[in-house]
Amino acid sequence: MTTTALLALDEIQRIEQEHQLPLYAKREISLVRGEGPYLFDSEGRRYLDAMSNYGVAVLGHADPEFAAALTDQLNTLATGHQSFYSDVRAALLVEIAKIAPEGLSRAFLSNSGAESIEAALKFARAATGKPNIVAARRAYHGRTLGALSATADPKYRTPFEPLPLPVTHVPFNDITALEAVVDGETAAVIIEPIQGEAGIYPADDAYLQAARDLTTRHRAMLIADEVQTAFRSGVPFAITRSGVTPDILATAKALANGFPIGLTLVTDAVSGAMPSGAHGTTFGGSPLACRAALTTLTALHERNLYARSEELGAQIINRIEALNSPKVRQVRGRGLMIGIELKERVTPTLRGLQEHGVLALPAGNLALRLLPPLIWQEEQVDELISALSMVLGGDESSG
Ligand SMILES: Cc1ncc(COP(=O)(O)O)c(C=O)c1O
């Protein structure tokens, strides 16, 4: 298929620069088409997608089964409020129940990661009747005012202060620091099982277990933010690897392969504390969103993409380590959520990769983040390693 952009590149750039708020540091290319693991720009140049729109497009781009299911749903019923029952929503809830951590039997459907976190924080307050939240340093939980209160980076917070929720940020993976702040006034401790934006830092099992024990002891909620970690660490939900079950789990991104969605899972006890009508959303749980999520979850299971992510992720980490690049300090991650911490700022490496036809992400200032579609094959891993070796200056054969 050839690539035909609606407008010329300089026209696209001019219009976006003139009409959008200047909030995003734009890369200079315009993406106009995707096919499986690849993206194409307006000039017809092909890129290996190692970012899947910040972890969203798990089935890659223009997946025929996904496109057919959404087209069918568009031709049947796209929008509908949750005050009516829906066949597609019910079918999705059955699939969610199959993968939900034990005891998280109730689902709230919304439209984004921040919304799924916002709901989690509200539910924690309603369920405990307590005000305070404990989050980790470097945590990223989204940009709505509640979620932003839990997000740590001053770059996101400062323009909007004072923020509405009282949140204490403590060092990540530090049990003593957590013990020092969780008390009888704590409504929730919120944790990313693998910190994403911060630089791909996995939480230790002992840390998650300590958070579980402390929250239980103080009758507070443990919230797992799986907006970025879900579906790509080799299992549906990364926290389950530690044997810890949260009271509330929020996810979004990959769940509907690019259709906007948010999901907050809670226990029966939390659900029972929510008064009818106390929370809601117009778009959330629409037949179209539910069909997108249903198709994605079915594909992840039927195509064996959980196990495959784990296998490919291990392969990628080994091969990056084998490059022995003088620029790499450490490679971290699980499944297809990988961080390469550099000894220098990451921006030139990202630019270099783009020039070599690979789109990747930063995480913090020093880490290169890989969140590829889960449909990658060995061929895509080879392409990635070859581009990385050119940009980072290592060589597999020297390892
Ligand atoms: C861990 C985590 N939580 C919450 C969010 C917010 O999600 P969204 O951008 O869909 O609002 C993100 C987004 O990157 C995230 O990585």
Side-chain angles (χ1 to χ4, degrees):
M1 197 196 287
T2 53
T3 306
T4 320
L6 290 179
L7 299 163
L9 179 60
D10 55 354
E11 189 72 348
I12 299 169
Q13 289 171 333
R14 185 189 59 75
I15 293 171
E16 290 206 12
Q17 281 161 15
E18 264 180 46
H19 294 278
Q20 280 194 306
L21 275 74
L23 292 171
Y24 299 93
K26 298 262 190 192
R27 304 200 192 187
E28 54 288 351
I29 56 174
S30 163
L31 297 174
V32 296
R33 187 169 75 80
E35 193 179 318
Y38 299 107
L39 288 161
F40 296 82
D41 72 11
S42 55
E43 313 308 292
R45 180 138 197 246
R46 191 183 89 163
Y47 299 87
L48 176 67
D49 183 4
M51 57 187 280
S52 56
N53 184 19
Y54 285 76
V56 167
V58 273
L59 304 181
H61 302 283
D63 179 79
E65 201 178 298
F66 185 73
L70 263 71
T71 307
D72 176 60
Q73 195 61 48
L74 276 168
N75 284 322
T76 309
L77 184 66
T79 191
H81 198 257
Q82 301 195 64
S83 51
F84 292 89
Y85 291 105
S86 154
D87 55 344
V88 200
R89 193 181 309 123
L92 171 63
L93 291 169
V94 169
E95 287 309 306
I96 291 173
K98 287 183 193 162
I99 55 169
E102 209 187 328
L104 298 190
S105 50
R106 300 276 172 168
F108 175 74
L109 289 160
S110 58
N111 311 287
S112 69
E115 269 185 73
S116 71
I117 296 294
E118 204 70 29
L121 296 170
K122 285 181 75 177
F123 297 168
R125 276 198 154 180
T128 61
K130 297 192 278 184
N132 299 339
I133 308 292
V134 175
R137 289 213 189 128
R138 299 183 305 214
Y140 185 88
H141 297 295
R143 317 268 194 116
T144 52
L145 286 169
L148 183 60
S149 306
T151 292
D153 194 334
K155 172 175 77 187
Y156 304 130
R157 300 167 59 89
T158 307
F160 308 103
E161 284 176 334
L163 294 170
L165 299 188
V167 180
T168 306
H169 289 96
V170 289
F172 187 63
N173 267 340
D174 182 337
I175 296 175
T176 313
L178 203 57
E179 283 169 346
V181 296
V182 177
D183 61 22
E185 290 300 291
T186 305
V189 173
I190 181 167
I191 299 179
E192 296 162 77
I194 303 172
Q195 284 196 322
E197 295 288 319
I200 314 292
Y201 292 102
D204 300 335
D205 289 352
Y207 180 65
L208 292 170
Q209 189 58 56
R212 175 67 285 175
D213 294 345
L214 270 174
T215 45
T216 304
R217 191 177 332 138
H218 291 285
R219 297 183 45 253
M221 302 279 108
L222 177 63
I223 302 175
D225 179 346
E226 295 242 15
V227 170
Q228 195 165 144
T229 47
F231 311 111
R232 59 171 58 253
S233 80
V235 288
F237 299 111
I239 194 165
T240 58
R241 286 181 167 282
S242 64
V244 167
T245 306
D247 303 283
I248 304 178
L249 183 152
T251 189
K253 288 192 189 285
L255 173 58
N257 191 42
F259 196 91
I261 197 163
L263 168 67
T264 310
L265 290 171
V266 304
T267 58
D268 272 344
V270 173
S271 168
M274 288 304 296
S276 168
H279 193 57
T281 154
T282 301
F283 290 129
S286 74
L288 191 56
C290 289
R291 185 69 179 269
L294 178 62
T295 309
T296 306
L297 291 183
T298 307
L300 289 173
H301 174 67
E302 286 180 354
R303 299 182 201 176
N304 198 25
L305 294 178
Y306 296 117
R308 182 108 192 100
S309 312
E310 179 139 46
E311 196 184 299
L312 276 188
Q315 225 179 83
I316 292 173
I317 291 179
N318 285 338
R319 289 185 64 182
I320 298 171
E321 283 171 345
L323 284 176
N324 265 324
S325 161
K327 293 186 179 174
V328 173
R329 188 181 305 282
Q330 194 186 29
V331 191
R332 296 185 286 265
R334 278 185 197 146
L336 290 175
M337 181 168 184
I338 297 170
I340 309 170
E341 187 175 319
L342 304 181
K343 295 176 186 164
E344 58 187 33
R345 292 181 84 80
V346 70
T347 319
T349 299
L350 280 174
R351 206 171 293 128
L353 282 175
Q354 186 169 314
E355 279 160 18
H356 285 91
V358 174
L359 297 179
L361 288 168
N365 292 327
L366 296 178
L368 180 83
R369 179 170 33 156
L370 304 172
L371 299 174
L374 310 186
I375 53 151
W376 271 23
Q377 304 285 333
E378 272 73 7
E379 187 188 337
Q380 281 77 45
V381 177
D382 289 344
E383 280 177 46
L384 171 76
I385 299 298
S386 140
L388 280 173
S389 96
M390 281 188 270
V391 177
L392 293 175
D395 178 358
E396 268 185 295
S397 56
S398 71

